[in-house]
Amino acid sequence: MVSTRMSKMRAVVYDKPFKVTVREVEKPKILHPDDVIVKVTTSCICGSDLHMYEGRTAAQAGIVFGHENMGIVDEVGSGVTLLKKGDRVVMPFNVACGRCVNCEEGRSAFCTLVNPGFAGGAYGYVAMGPYPGGQAEYVRVPFADFNALVLPPGTEHEEDFALLADIFPTGWHGVQLSGFRPGESIVVFGAGPVGLMAAYSAVLRGASDVYVVDRVAERLAKAKDIGCTPIDFGKGDAVDQILKLRGGKAVDRGVDAVGYQATTGDGKTEVPNAVIEALVRVVRPTGGLGIPGLYVPSDPGAPDAASAKGYMSFPFGKLFEKGLTLGTGQCNVKAYNRYLRDLIIAGRAKPSFVVSHNVSLDEAADAYDKFDRRVDGYTKVLLHP
């Protein structure tokens, strides 16, 4: 007979805005021959999780959080051929089938089969399908041969590899969306984990100048540490500051790593279109904008009726006049993660410089509170069951 505890596990569960609880839930089971069950060793708290935590989405009580997950394969479905029990793996936050036209074209973030009625799926995220998250002791991975990336055994690079689930590839994706080429200049708005990863990716890819815009001193210091020029928008208009530093010359590319919760210089007043407007101003004619920052179709906490419905105004006429290109959308993690893994293994990349805290799963509620309030230097938190 299987004990009750063996069929249960601890997980981070959403209760209501600004409240999560670590409690026992049902342990995942193999539901399809292509599934594996992974015993989680590390799961990350993401800025996107805060959108649900703050009640800015339609998240319902009971959802298990966590879309940035890695661990050890514990159970293997009968249809799985590339993975075995004991493999160390990291999963893209995208849940994808590997078989639809978008997956076949490398656009796994927009899989059309895993989440009917919505282009794309993810673990533990509202509207992104029936896939419980991995801020838990175990997580079920569907279409596992496609979705799990095998890592070297052991514990080396645990912090670095955990970031392959989302923020390192997403930062790289933002630079890619902008049309960046080696030797060009680029500005990244937002020095949170994704913004710092975008700036770091631009450095790795040979940017001549990288400007990073934020107002949090600790974040700007990290940007400076990796060779970027920090721009504090709390001290004045960011575009004006950049143009002054460059003698009036615009930058080649721009990345929006902020999204719909952009604010004015006071850091409190939300202006959803602020970053896109700034990018249109600061990027040169025929340059490009990459927008991996999250914009949502609805937001009950938005500052106005239009943005609450996902609508936003920005100077499209100026964008047209300048011939700017614009790339948007969630990151197709599988398009990048194996190459970024190999950069880590080779010692060419160490993205874990953004990690501020490693805590136990039982400390998750406190970590969410501190991360949301940006206290004690909380920037990127890794949870360990």
Side-chain angles (χ1 to χ4, degrees), residues 4 18 63 75 90 109 132 150-152 186 198 213 236 289 298 309 317 325 367:
T4 302
F18 301 100
I63 185 173
E75 298 179 50
V90 63
V150 177
L151 303 169
I186 190 167
V213 179
L289 317 182
S298 64
K309 297 179 180 179
T325 59

Side-chain angles (χ1 to χ4, degrees), residues 308-330:
K309 297 179 180 179
Y311 289 80
M312 184 179 66
S313 65
F314 71 97
F316 188 85
K318 198 67 177 178
L319 181 121
F320 178 87
E321 174 196 315
K322 295 177 76 172
L324 299 173
T325 59
L326 186 153
T328 69
Q330 295 190 84

Side-chain angles (χ1 to χ4, degrees), residues 55-113:
R56 300 290 294 262
T57 68
Q60 299 294 310
I63 185 173
V64 176
F65 279 0
H67 58 269
E68 301 181 46
N69 311 309
M70 67 175 292
I72 307 298
V73 175
D74 190 65
E75 298 179 50
V76 180
S78 60
V80 175
T81 60
L82 303 179
L83 302 169
K84 64 183 184 303
K85 183 173 181 176
D87 280 345
R88 186 187 188 200
V89 293
V90 63
M91 283 67 68
F93 76 87
N94 319 118
V95 177
C97 71
R99 303 162 186 174
C100 70
V101 63
N102 282 345
C103 285
E104 286 187 343
E105 292 182 350
R107 299 184 177 97
S108 56
F110 305 94
C111 177
T112 58
L113 293 182

Side-chain angles (χ1 to χ4, degrees), residues 7 9 15 51 83 114 134 137 239 286 289 343 347:
S7 64
M9 68 172 184
D15 295 319
H51 300 146
L83 302 169
V114 294
E137 292 180 287
V239 174
T286 73
L289 317 182
L343 283 176

